[in-house]
């Protein structure tokens, strides 16, 4: 069960997702990977048109060379300090056509593994991104040259090993290495700049050393024992990485963007290398996702929890309940708007007929609320009694059989295979109790070492058929009534019943009030009071959602609002529904909260659109929530006139657009006048 601290972390992570942008973009994707502090952010900034220059800054009492952005037209990744990763989501940065038109995907640092929660999110979000992308045009690996040579290349070996969460270690990893180009930063040796040829030569020397170590370690070891060696994947990753770099003629660039002109030169050179890279197709990406754990069920369960978990900052209501409450206010305003104008006119001629009409509407609304309450109570009772076996956890047991890795090239001189061997892996489940389990997958044998469902213990050794990858999923079940998800759903339904009961009581009070209206004047006062009350109630709701959702932290000093988290949660869930990425056998206790949340969101948006158009819209006054993602990007720096015009066009319907433009850049008055002409000429 996640703690409140974990939930806060999930809110931060979800608030920064860009899955909707990822689906909507049509540009070719370039995946940028590398350790924290290697220079990924600067690289992406340059490829999207930013200009940098080298300056000396004092860091810990010493002068250090750093790259400062001196001009950019767009937002770009914020450079970090090299020690704390600022990125837990894939960031999307689309270059304009004049800069190549590629979409650059900024990933978390390869060594980003602070907690299981961080690992689960980055693992899932990366797999989901691969499932959404039509292809990856190129993979850019950004490395600090010092990691290649210091301590006999220990930093390089760490980078090679940490690539595994992205590339995998099976045969599918070949696609990543075939597509990879290498960018090296801080490439100095003995005070002189290092050339690409020297880096390739260093890689060849280290490759020779690693081959010797491989032969010494495995000379007397049989094939299956090698496959079972827990260090085999790390050794394969190191050899594969070094062999790729050693043969990367024309795919290595050494970065020295010391001036704006050199920044532009680097952009053009890297863009040319991207154009020549071997693309990773949709089929290849599908193969890659299939070879590694995704934590899919656990993440979906967390989404359902976030949608239904009551929040003390929201008066004990969940996001779904807040949306439903707002929808109720808006629905009543829609009904008022539709009849308000005509009703006031009708009151003058026959106020008693209007009174009867109002009472009829209230009775109808009360009947609808009573029906909703009855259905919620029936669903609660059904869940409390349900014995349906429901998945509470899945554990993926995946491992490539030892036929992959270019390392075999060194032993036998042959491609990617070394014969048919088995993959072996152990499932060791020690978690929540379960009533039964089942194993999905084929081509394996199993040896059950421990099984105690009441204590939540299961240990099984799996061995794949020779020559076949191990790809097994173990699913753990409980009766639906006993799952944590069902408990949360029942609690949410109980709060919904309480809310509906309160609304029914409000209807009863209103009916008494309207029945007691004994004059035209009294009826008009009641109608206007109801509108004002609904507007004030909606405003209170919006103000609650505009408050911060979590406490700021060292990693996230800018805490998002509740509305921002809610909006970004909707973004990722809508993508999963739209792309049919929810498992068909997903338990109802997980699927229902997700679908209910999206239904409540869509209902609110539909009602807002109805209130914004048609007669009487001007009489309704609603407050808008502020929506902002967790943005860690750096803003434009001295943007060009063309960029200023584009930024202004995005806000051209706002009266203050020109003032905002002139604040962006301290240019001449004539420039601002020119932008003003452009904006006003194209105003709506």
């Amino acid at each position: 069960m996640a703690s409140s601290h974990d939930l806060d972390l999930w809110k931060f992570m979800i608030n920064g997702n860009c899955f909707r942008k990822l689906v909507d973009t049509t540009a070719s994707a370039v995946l940028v990977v590398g350790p924290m502090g290697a220079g990924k952010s600067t690289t992406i900034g340059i490829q999207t048109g930013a200009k940098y220059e080298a300056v000396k800054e004092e860091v810990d009492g010493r002068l250090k060379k750093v790259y400062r952005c001196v001009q950019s037209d767009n937002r770009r990744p914020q450079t970090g300090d090299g020690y704390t990763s600022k990125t837990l989501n894939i960031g999307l940065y689309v270059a304009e056509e004049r800069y190549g038109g590629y979409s650059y995907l900024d990933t978390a640092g390869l060594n980003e593994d602070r907690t299981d929660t961080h690992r689960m999110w980055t693992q899932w979000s990366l797999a989901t991104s691969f499932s959404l992308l039509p292809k990856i045009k190129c993979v850019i690996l950004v490395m600090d040259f010092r990691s290649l040579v210091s301590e006999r290349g220990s930093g390089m070996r760490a980078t090679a090993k940490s690539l595994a969460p992205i590339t995998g270690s099976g045969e599918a990893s070949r696609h990543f290495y075939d597509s990879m180009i290498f960018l090296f930063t801080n490439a100095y040796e003995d005070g002189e700049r290092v050339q690409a040829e020297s880096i390739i030569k260093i890689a060849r020397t280290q490759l020779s050393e690693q081959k010797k170590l491989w032969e010494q370690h495995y000379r007397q070891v049989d094939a299956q024992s090698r496959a079972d060696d827990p260090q085999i994947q790390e050794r394969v990753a190191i050899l594969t990485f070094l062999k790729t770099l050693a043969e990367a003629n024309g795919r290595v660039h050494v970065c020295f963007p010391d001036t704006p002109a050199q920044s532009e030169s680097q952009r053009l050179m890297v863009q040319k290398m991207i154009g020549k890279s071997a693309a990773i197709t949709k089929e290849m990406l599908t193969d890659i996702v299939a070879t590694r754990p995704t934590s899919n069920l656990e993440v979906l369960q967390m989404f359902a929890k976030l949608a239904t978990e009551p929040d003390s900052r929201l008066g004990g209501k969940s996001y779904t309940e807040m949306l439903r409450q707002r929808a109720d206010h808006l629905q009543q305003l829609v009904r008022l708007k539709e009849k308000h104008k005509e009703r006031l006119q009708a009151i003058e001629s026959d106020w008693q007929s209007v009174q009867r009409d109002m009472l009829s509407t209230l009775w109808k609304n009360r009947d609808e609320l009573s029906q909703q309450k009855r259905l919620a109570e029936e669903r609660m009772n059904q869940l409390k009694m349900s014995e349906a076996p429901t998945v509470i956890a899945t554990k993926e047991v995946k491992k490539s059989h030892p036929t992959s890795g270019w390392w075999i090239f060194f032993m036998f001189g042959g491609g990617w295979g070394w014969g048919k061997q088995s993959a072996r892996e152990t499932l060791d489940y020690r978690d929540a109790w379960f009533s039964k389990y089942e194993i999905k997958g084929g081509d394996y044998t199993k040896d059950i070492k421990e099984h105690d469902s009441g204590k939540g213990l299961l240990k099984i050794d799996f061995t794949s058929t020779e020559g076949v990858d191990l790809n097994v999923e173990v699913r753990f079940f409980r009766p639906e009534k006993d799952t944590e998800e069902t408990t949360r759903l029942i609690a949410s339904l109980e709060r919904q019943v309480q809310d509906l009961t309160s609304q029914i009581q409000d209807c009863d009070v209103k009916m008494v009030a309207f029945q007691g209206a004994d004059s035209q004047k009294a009826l008009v006062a009641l109608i206007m009071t109801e509108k004002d009350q609904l507007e004030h109630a909606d405003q209170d709701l919006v103000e609650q959602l505009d408050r911060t959702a979590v406490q700021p932290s060292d990693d996230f000093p800018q805490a998002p609002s509740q509305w921002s988290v809610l909006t970004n949660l909707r973004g990722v869930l809508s993508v999963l529904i739209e792309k049919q990425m929810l498992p068909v056998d997903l338990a109802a206790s997980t699927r229902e909260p997700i679908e209910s949340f999206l239904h409540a969101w869509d209902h609110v948006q539909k009602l807002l659109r109805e209130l914004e158009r048609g007669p009487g819209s001007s009489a309704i006054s609603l407050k808008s929530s502020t929506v902002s993602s967790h943005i860690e990007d750096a803003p434009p720096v001295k943007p060009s006139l063309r960029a200023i015009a584009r930024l202004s066009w995005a806000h051209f319907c706002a009266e203050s657009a020109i003032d905002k433009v002139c604040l962006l850049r301290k240019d001449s008055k004539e420039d601002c006048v020119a932008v003003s002409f452009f904006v006003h000429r194209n105003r709506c």
Side-chain angles (χ1 to χ4, degrees):
M1 190 75 172
S3 67
S4 59
H5 175 74
D6 290 333
L7 279 178
D8 285 356
L9 177 58
W10 276 94
K11 289 179 181 180
F12 273 122
M13 294 189 299
I14 289 173
N15 193 62
N17 85 82
C18 69
F19 292 111
R20 172 50 60 190
K21 293 180 182 177
L22 207 61
V23 170
D24 293 341
T25 184
T26 57
S28 295
V30 176
L31 187 66
V32 184
V33 299
M36 293 182 287
K40 300 194 306 293
S41 299
T42 302
T43 296
I44 293 174
I46 289 173
Q47 292 309 121
T48 54
K51 305 293 191 297
Y52 287 79
E53 68 178 10
V55 296
K56 293 286 187 180
E57 288 186 0
E58 186 173 323
V59 180
D60 296 330
R62 298 176 58 187
L63 284 179
K64 179 181 178 182
K65 177 182 176 180
V66 297
Y67 290 101
R68 182 180 64 191
C69 181
V70 294
Q71 183 179 353
S72 67
D73 286 353
N74 304 297
R75 302 193 72 87
R76 64 199 185 286
Q78 178 71 57
T79 53
D81 56 18
Y83 297 97
T84 301
S85 174
K86 302 298 183 184
T87 308
L88 291 174
N89 286 279
I90 284 185
L92 177 66
Y93 304 91
V94 183
E96 297 178 36
E97 286 299 325
R98 57 181 171 144
Y99 298 133
Y102 295 114
S103 288
Y104 292 89
L105 306 179
D106 186 22
T107 61
L110 293 179
N111 40 350
E112 172 55 86
D113 57 357
R114 278 175 278 180
T115 68
D116 290 340
T117 301
H118 289 84
R119 191 178 301 110
M120 183 189 302
W121 173 253
T122 53
Q123 190 179 72
W124 179 85
S125 58
L126 189 67
T128 302
S129 298
F130 286 170
S131 298
L132 294 174
L133 291 169
K135 71 174 182 178
I136 292 178
K137 180 66 182 75
C138 173
V139 178
I140 297 178
L141 174 61
V142 185
M143 282 187 63
D144 190 317
F145 171 75
R146 293 169 296 189
S147 66
L148 188 64
V149 294
S150 63
E151 299 180 10
R152 299 188 63 81
S154 61
M156 178 281 303
R157 292 192 293 276
T159 297
K161 290 185 286 187
S162 59
L163 274 171
I166 292 180
T167 63
S169 59
E171 186 170 354
S173 66
R174 174 170 54 89
H175 305 313
F176 275 100
Y177 292 104
D178 287 345
S179 181
M180 195 173 287
I181 65 176
F182 301 86
L183 272 59
F184 284 88
T185 58
N186 298 311
Y188 292 93
E189 196 166 36
D190 298 327
E192 299 293 328
R193 292 186 175 186
V194 178
Q195 303 299 315
E197 294 77 11
S198 299
I199 290 176
I200 292 176
K201 184 177 179 181
I202 293 170
R204 289 172 179 168
T205 301
Q206 293 191 14
L207 175 61
S208 178
E209 294 176 357
Q210 291 297 321
K211 285 169 60 179
K212 290 178 182 177
L213 291 173
W214 171 279
E215 292 168 355
Q216 292 171 6
H217 189 82
Y218 290 117
R219 182 178 290 118
Q220 304 300 325
V221 180
D222 64 84
Q224 187 62 59
S225 297
R226 280 179 242 167
D228 293 338
D229 186 341
Q231 295 183 332
I232 189 71
Q233 291 188 2
E234 291 184 0
R235 296 178 184 273
V236 170
I238 292 169
L239 286 168
T240 305
F241 175 81
L242 284 172
K243 189 173 191 298
T244 304
L245 182 56
E247 297 178 351
N249 290 310
R251 294 192 287 149
V252 177
H253 181 74
V254 186
C255 304
F256 298 109
D258 291 2
T259 66
Q262 289 172 321
S263 297
E264 177 66 7
S265 176
Q266 174 176 316
R267 184 187 68 77
L268 293 172
M269 178 63 71
V270 174
Q271 184 177 320
K272 185 177 180 181
M273 294 167 68
I274 293 172
K276 292 182 178 180
S277 295
I280 303 175
T281 65
K282 182 67 175 179
E283 292 73 21
M284 295 174 182
L285 288 170
T286 301
D287 290 343
I288 290 164
V289 172
T291 62
R292 73 209 59 207
T294 61
S295 303
N296 191 47
L297 177 63
E298 290 83 357
V299 174
L300 293 178
Q301 288 174 336
M302 185 57 65
F303 288 161
K305 181 181 175 106
L306 280 166
T308 57
E309 187 79 0
D311 189 336
S312 60
R313 302 180 185 96
L314 295 175
K317 290 186 172 61
S318 68
Y319 285 143
T320 301
E321 290 158 357
M322 291 292 284
L323 288 172
R324 285 175 179 153
Q325 188 174 349
R326 190 172 193 208
D328 177 64
H329 295 158
L330 297 176
Q331 182 70 68
Q332 294 181 61
L333 280 170
V334 166
R335 291 170 177 166
L336 275 179
K337 184 178 81 73
E338 291 173 349
K339 298 183 178 180
H340 195 59
K341 183 177 179 180
E342 294 80 2
R343 188 168 288 151
L344 290 175
Q345 293 174 344
I347 286 174
E348 294 181 359
S349 58
D350 188 353
W351 68 270
Q352 291 175 319
S353 294
V354 175
Q355 182 185 39
R356 289 191 294 271
D357 181 54
M358 291 293 295
L359 287 169
S360 175
T361 300
L362 285 168
W363 273 112
K364 181 179 178 182
N365 187 36
R366 190 187 190 285
D367 289 343
E368 291 174 355
L369 293 171
S370 298
Q371 173 72 356
Q372 293 175 33
K373 179 181 175 182
R374 182 183 64 79
L375 292 174
E377 289 173 335
E378 289 177 356
R379 181 56 177 152
M380 270 196 308
N381 293 331
Q382 180 186 25
L383 288 169
K384 288 178 180 178
M385 302 294 293
S386 175
E387 296 287 340
T390 302
V391 177
I392 62 167
T394 61
K395 296 297 178 182
E396 297 166 311
V397 184
K398 296 184 178 182
K399 190 174 183 181
S400 302
H401 70 284
T403 64
S404 59
W406 289 339
W407 45 276
I408 194 55
F409 178 86
F410 314 120
M411 299 296 294
F412 304 103
W416 281 81
W418 69 351
K420 293 186 177 181
Q421 300 296 330
S422 297
R424 295 178 179 174
E425 193 65 275
T426 297
L427 166 75
D428 193 359
Y429 177 88
R430 299 179 183 277
D431 206 335
W433 71 271
F434 56 94
S435 56
K436 69 172 185 175
Y437 71 92
E438 68 176 28
I439 302 172
K440 295 181 65 178
D443 298 315
Y444 70 88
T445 58
K446 69 179 187 295
D447 182 9
I448 301 175
K449 298 293 187 181
E450 186 177 9
H451 180 203
D452 190 331
S453 58
K455 294 181 179 179
L457 302 177
L458 182 66
K459 186 175 182 179
I460 304 177
D461 291 340
F462 289 95
T463 302
S464 73
T465 303
E466 291 184 352
V468 178
D469 290 341
L470 184 60
N471 187 359
V472 172
E473 182 181 85
V474 182
R475 305 200 302 175
F476 298 84
F477 294 83
R478 276 189 198 172
E480 186 175 28
K481 65 183 178 63
D482 295 324
T483 67
E484 293 178 355
E485 288 73 29
T486 296
T487 300
R488 286 198 299 270
L489 184 54
I490 289 173
S492 178
L493 288 167
E494 287 175 342
R495 292 191 297 272
Q496 183 181 352
V497 167
Q498 291 173 1
D499 185 53
L500 290 168
T501 300
S502 177
Q503 292 182 48
I504 291 170
Q505 292 171 349
D506 287 343
C507 279
D508 291 339
V509 171
K510 290 175 184 176
M511 283 191 289
V512 171
F514 275 99
Q515 285 173 337
D518 57 0
S519 67
Q520 175 181 321
K521 184 178 180 180
L523 189 58
V524 170
L526 275 174
I527 292 174
M528 297 305 293
T529 299
E530 187 177 10
K531 182 183 81 72
D532 293 341
Q533 288 175 342
L534 288 170
E535 288 175 344
H536 287 310
D538 187 71
Q539 181 175 338
D540 290 343
L541 208 62
V542 170
E543 288 176 352
Q544 271 190 296
L545 291 171
D546 280 339
R547 295 170 189 161
T548 55
V550 293
Q551 291 298 315
S553 65
D554 291 339
D555 288 338
F556 304 101
Q558 295 181 341
S561 68
Q562 298 279 13
W563 183 249
S564 186
V565 174
L566 187 153
T567 302
N568 283 283
L569 176 60
R570 178 263 173 185
V572 63
L573 293 182
S574 65
V575 167
L576 297 180
I577 294 291
E578 177 184 322
K579 297 299 180 180
Q580 300 180 344
M581 296 177 68
L582 295 184
V584 293
D585 58 350
L586 185 64
S589 53
T590 301
R591 180 184 293 273
E592 281 184 18
I594 291 174
E595 293 178 341
S596 296
F597 171 85
L598 289 174
H599 175 75
W601 170 277
D602 291 340
H603 191 203
V604 167
Q605 301 309 308
K606 176 178 178 291
L607 293 170
L608 285 171
R609 288 193 297 271
E610 290 183 22
L611 287 169
E612 289 173 357
R613 58 175 182 258
S617 297
S618 59
I620 305 296
S621 176
L622 297 176
K623 180 180 178 181
S624 298
S625 277
T626 55
V627 182
S628 61
S629 297
H630 181 68
I631 296 175
E632 296 170 344
D633 301 344
V637 176
K638 293 181 66 177
S640 63
L641 189 60
R642 174 178 178 176
I644 293 175
R646 186 180 67 251
L647 290 168
S648 302
W649 176 251
H651 303 88
F652 68 88
C653 283
E655 290 298 326
S656 60
I658 305 306
D659 294 334
K660 292 178 182 177
V661 169
C662 295
L663 286 173
L664 281 171
R665 176 176 176 178
K666 295 178 181 178
D667 276 334
S668 66
K669 182 177 181 180
E670 289 76 11
D671 281 342
C672 285
V673 171
V675 175
S676 176
F677 172 76
F678 174 85
V679 173
H680 284 286
R681 185 183 64 180
N682 296 282
R683 286 181 70 88
C684 44

